[in-house]
Amino acid sequence: MKFTHKHIFMILMAMTVHLLSSCHKEKPEVTKPDFALSAQVQALEYNGTSIWGKQGELGVFVAKSRTTDILEGNDNLKYTTTFQTQATRLTPADQKMNLPKNGNLADIIAYYPYIQEFGSKGSSKTVYAIDLQDQKARNPDILLIGRANDCSTTINSATVSLKPVLAKLNVKLKNQHATKSSEEDIRIQLSKIRCKAEIDVLNGAYISYGEAETTDMIQPSESVYAYEAILPAHTTEAEARLTVIFPESARQDPLAVNLYSYVSEFKPNSQYDLEVTVSPEGIKAVLVSMSEFSVTDWYEDKDDIYGNINNK
């Protein structure tokens, strides 16, 4: 068969059409991975290492960069920890956050432990109510807040570093009375102290406090004359007192010191170690140290988010 110019032209046309149709085939869509959000916990100690507990629940907000304006659909989303490590990936429990698709910067705010309703009456979307008047039923016994600024889908990952916003008072009691009482029978009471407060999780700022009141310090298990109290960060009242109360069998009147003289301010993410000595001559106190807040049994408490400090 002879190929004429007509045949050659038709073959070239067919090849061109095939080539063009191949070029217009849709390329397979590449799915962008979800935003990788991690949470790093600070000042929490377990066997010498800061570590998250299993399936810890955090609340997450996304706001416009450097503001407290929450972006739509990013209001108090529940995320859970993935690994028992210092910095763990967070997994959305239900709805995942959405950063601006246009690449605009946004801030991610996270807090722990997660709650569904905010505020003392559940009326505020960002105010966390703290009630520590009953130290045996502290709610919560730890509150962590952190913020990662200037996040975007361009980078597609961020780590929020969370820190405690409460304060802790530790008291080591030295009983030098001739007839010593059992440590379980001696109480230490704080009076004229702030136990209730509200804090805005978007900026970590305390916005209100309850009236100054009285609370009993608690004794961690397996302790010897050791007492502790978790408190909102606040300026100590000038009339605040620490009182050692003896059992009736001791026939000893309560002994008190002015707490403000030793701790004028309870700062966030801080703990204060006070040594108190009682003797026939009276009572005296010494502020031994001030350091970062620490939790010693975060991992062991497992699902009990309100027992992290009690050393149960």
Side-chain angles (χ1 to χ4, degrees), residues 42-83:
Q42 294 190 6
L44 300 183
E45 299 176 0
Y46 175 68
N47 288 344
T49 305
S50 299
I51 187 170
W52 280 106
K54 187 178 181 180
Q55 293 297 302
E57 295 182 348
L58 295 86
V60 172
F61 293 86
V62 180
K64 292 180 181 178
S65 180
R66 311 287 174 153
T67 74
T68 56
D69 299 332
I70 302 171
L71 297 177
E72 186 176 353
N74 292 282
D75 185 354
N76 197 29
L77 307 176
K78 181 162 69 173
Y79 274 67
T80 59
T81 57
T82 306
F83 305 110

Side-chain angles (χ1 to χ4, degrees), residues 41-249:
V41 59
Q42 294 190 6
L44 300 183
E45 299 176 0
Y46 175 68
N47 288 344
T49 305
S50 299
I51 187 170
W52 280 106
K54 187 178 181 180
Q55 293 297 302
E57 295 182 348
L58 295 86
V60 172
F61 293 86
V62 180
K64 292 180 181 178
S65 180
R66 311 287 174 153
T67 74
T68 56
D69 299 332
I70 302 171
L71 297 177
E72 186 176 353
N74 292 282
D75 185 354
N76 197 29
L77 307 176
K78 181 162 69 173
Y79 274 67
T80 59
T81 57
T82 306
F83 305 110
Q84 292 167 326
T85 54
Q86 181 184 18
T88 178
R89 279 285 297 271
L90 297 181
T91 304
D94 184 16
Q95 180 183 347
K96 62 183 179 181
M97 64 180 186
N98 293 298
L99 271 69
K101 294 181 179 179
N102 58 6
N104 285 351
L105 299 179
D107 294 351
I108 300 173
I109 302 99
Y111 72 91
Y112 177 93
Y114 171 82
I115 56 172
Q116 288 183 321
E117 296 294 333
F118 276 90
S120 55
K121 298 180 181 179
S123 57
S124 174
K125 290 184 177 181
T126 64
V127 175
Y128 203 117
I130 301 168
D131 185 354
L132 300 169
Q133 195 280 323
D134 183 355
Q135 289 289 312
K136 292 182 179 179
R138 299 183 286 208
N139 184 18
D141 69 350
I142 186 170
L143 179 58
L144 308 172
I145 297 176
R147 185 181 186 115
N149 292 322
D150 301 333
C151 305
S152 73
T153 54
T154 303
I155 301 174
N156 215 40
S157 67
T159 298
V160 183
S161 182
L162 293 92
K163 290 185 178 182
V165 294
L166 301 177
K168 184 180 181 184
L169 176 65
N170 300 310
V171 172
K172 180 74 171 180
L173 180 65
K174 289 187 175 182
N175 185 5
Q176 296 180 353
H177 279 280
T179 304
K180 293 189 177 182
S181 304
S182 170
E183 64 162 323
E184 290 83 4
D185 298 328
I186 298 179
R187 294 163 47 213
I188 294 186
Q189 191 176 80
L190 305 177
S191 56
K192 290 289 184 179
I193 203 80
R194 304 286 180 180
C195 298
K196 297 183 180 70
E198 290 188 325
I199 186 169
D200 192 327
V201 298
L202 292 189
N203 54 22
Y206 284 85
I207 59 173
S208 67
Y209 290 95
E211 295 294 325
E213 50 192 330
T214 299
T215 184
D216 282 1
M217 301 186 73
I218 64 172
Q219 293 178 269
S221 61
E222 301 178 1
S223 63
V224 179
Y225 289 108
Y227 302 78
E228 66 178 34
I230 307 299
L231 301 167
H234 69 284
T235 301
T236 311
E237 297 289 321
E239 301 83 11
R241 297 176 73 80
L242 182 151
T243 305
V244 179
I245 303 174
F246 299 90
E248 291 184 7
S249 59

